[in-house]
Amino acid sequence: MLLEAGENMAITTSKDLRNMIMYSVYVRNHSKEGTFQALEKDLDRIRSLGADIIWLLPIHPIGEVKRKGILGSPYANKDYRAINPELGTLADFKSLVRAIHARGMKCIIDIVYNHTSPDSWLAKNHPEWFYKKEDGNFGNKIGEWYDIIDLDFNKPALWDYLIDTMKIWADIVDGFRCDVAPLIPLEFWLRARREVAEINPDCIWLAESVEPAFTLDNRSRGMVSLSDSELYQAFDICYDYDIFNDFVDYLEGKSTLEFYAKMINMQEHIYPDNYVKLRFLENHDRPRAKFIIPDEISLRNWTAFNYFQKGMTLLYAGQETGNVFRPSLFDEDKVDWNTGTDLSAFLFKLYQMKKNPLFAESNYQVSTPGNDIIIASHTGIGKKLVGVFSGKGRASISRIDVPEGTYTNLIDGSEVRVEGGLLSCKGEPVVIEVVLQ
């Protein structure tokens, strides 16, 4: 069955996605107005950061029953085929997408297919398509998600409705970020990808893959819970959650930098050759990067390393101004655009670096020589990129396997000297390009 999917499967995923930057926006909290029209006015600034793709968190009406907070979670979807009137009209949304395209960017939207709000259009019109508890009432399998009810993917007619819905949106947007994709059968995603390709053959598929502990816990309860390796059969991009907690454990002093590097290297041999990871320091479900990495020099190093990693880079709106506070999903809680910090120029330099073809096609390797230093390399035919990053933002000397000489730091244009196999790191991130003999 899987082989029959052929050219429509993720085997066609382009490695060029590894050169791209995705910018995530929660429309409600992005501006004072919280509308599509207001976001459209901000597109030039977003593009100036180096964004290639704008991902909009759910844009559909939000359920009113059992709401979290005052305004409710956008992931408690009331109608998959409608626009949240608080954000604007369908015409406003289409205007926003046209404006995104006019600036050379793509637009993807959130698809939340594991569940709906308890008062959704589907719950009222097709209650037979939902999971039921032993007492016959609606329910969900993840107890703390009290504002939603689960769909039942044992119902073939549900598949038809959901895929037809994706086809409607695929005629407008460039792709989908699929919420908790592992909880939905792989066969559904394979079919969805094949059929959507008839409408938009270049559709981008991003799976919110999950942490190992979440996967194992779900499976222990008899639930569908797909691994990243399974998801890569249908999706172009998976989250970096398989190793993100190892990074956080290092920051908290619970684990070592060496172990984190080992887990990064493992990804190179357990996933397909064209695997694309979504590399992030923060997102709407996790604390802000500036919160977990308060030191400015360390933050610049980890930000640069995030761009250097093999995969697509994610920025969450407000990351460029060093926000410490992560806005609530459930209330009006605006992004602070006046923090006194502006990383925009730095991020654009990293964006320019990210366009090097070696980031798309390379043998990627990470090592940790000590002193909280990461040395990473992308090796291709005739050239390689070498990055030196200080996890603690401190000056040190690192042994580096490149010929002696003077190089240009691709991040800031400064000169970098290598002598006797040693590079003197002043604490700031360094990326150099080396011609191989």
Side-chain angles (χ1 to χ4, degrees), residues 350-363:
L350 295 176
Y351 168 77
Q352 291 177 307
M353 175 196 75
K354 188 74 170 176
K355 293 305 176 183
N356 190 306
L358 278 176
F359 284 107
E361 182 72 67
S362 71
N363 174 34

Side-chain angles (χ1 to χ4, degrees), residues 36 83 88-95 169 172:
F36 296 130
I83 291 288
T89 65
L90 178 60
D92 292 334
F93 175 66
K94 289 182 176 180
S95 174
W169 293 112
I172 302 172

Side-chain angles (χ1 to χ4, degrees), residues 18 30 93 100 129 132 157 167 218 235 237 271 274 276 280-281 319 352 383:
R18 295 169 175 166
H30 188 80
F93 175 66
I100 289 171
W129 290 353
K132 304 296 195 308
K167 290 178 181 179
N218 291 335
F235 287 87
I237 312 161
Y271 295 136
N274 64 340
V276 182
F280 55 84
L281 295 179
Q319 188 172 345
Q352 291 177 307
K383 292 182 179 180

Side-chain angles (χ1 to χ4, degrees), residues 339-401:
T339 62
T341 298
D342 188 359
L343 299 172
S344 300
F346 177 62
L347 296 177
F348 185 70
K349 286 288 188 181
L350 295 176
Y351 168 77
Q352 291 177 307
M353 175 196 75
K354 188 74 170 176
K355 293 305 176 183
N356 190 306
L358 278 176
F359 284 107
E361 182 72 67
S362 71
N363 174 34
Y364 183 52
Q365 190 71 25
V366 179
S367 63
T368 52
N371 294 325
D372 292 290
I373 294 292
I374 293 177
I375 297 179
S377 63
H378 289 271
T379 304
I381 299 175
K383 292 182 179 180
K384 75 173 178 178
L385 293 169
V386 179
V388 181
F389 310 93
S390 175
K392 301 296 184 182
R394 296 191 296 251
S396 65
I397 294 176
S398 298
R399 187 160 295 279
I400 183 171
D401 184 23

Side-chain angles (χ1 to χ4, degrees), residues 182 209-210 215 219 225-233 238 271:
S209 51
V210 297
T215 296
R219 288 178 177 176
S225 198
L226 304 174
S227 67
D228 287 26
S229 296
E230 291 171 298
L231 289 166
Y232 274 126
Q233 296 178 63
C238 285
Y271 295 136

Side-chain angles (χ1 to χ4, degrees), residues 191-263:
R191 178 183 158 192
R193 184 179 179 114
R194 289 195 300 271
E195 294 192 22
V196 168
E198 298 171 4
I199 305 297
N200 183 353
D202 297 318
C203 184
I204 298 168
W205 292 82
L206 165 62
E208 187 203 16
S209 51
V210 297
E211 298 91 337
F214 189 65
T215 296
L216 294 176
D217 181 61
N218 291 335
R219 288 178 177 176
S220 72
R221 292 186 284 154
M223 295 171 57
V224 170
S225 198
L226 304 174
S227 67
D228 287 26
S229 296
E230 291 171 298
L231 289 166
Y232 274 126
Q233 296 178 63
F235 287 87
D236 300 307
I237 312 161
C238 285
Y239 268 45
D240 204 20
Y241 278 150
D242 54 329
I243 65 170
F244 186 74
N245 282 341
D246 299 311
F247 165 63
V248 176
D249 283 349
Y250 161 71
L251 294 180
E252 294 180 4
K254 293 196 246 180
S255 186
T256 64
L257 192 59
E258 289 78 9
F259 184 78
Y260 178 50
K262 179 180 179 181
M263 299 305 289

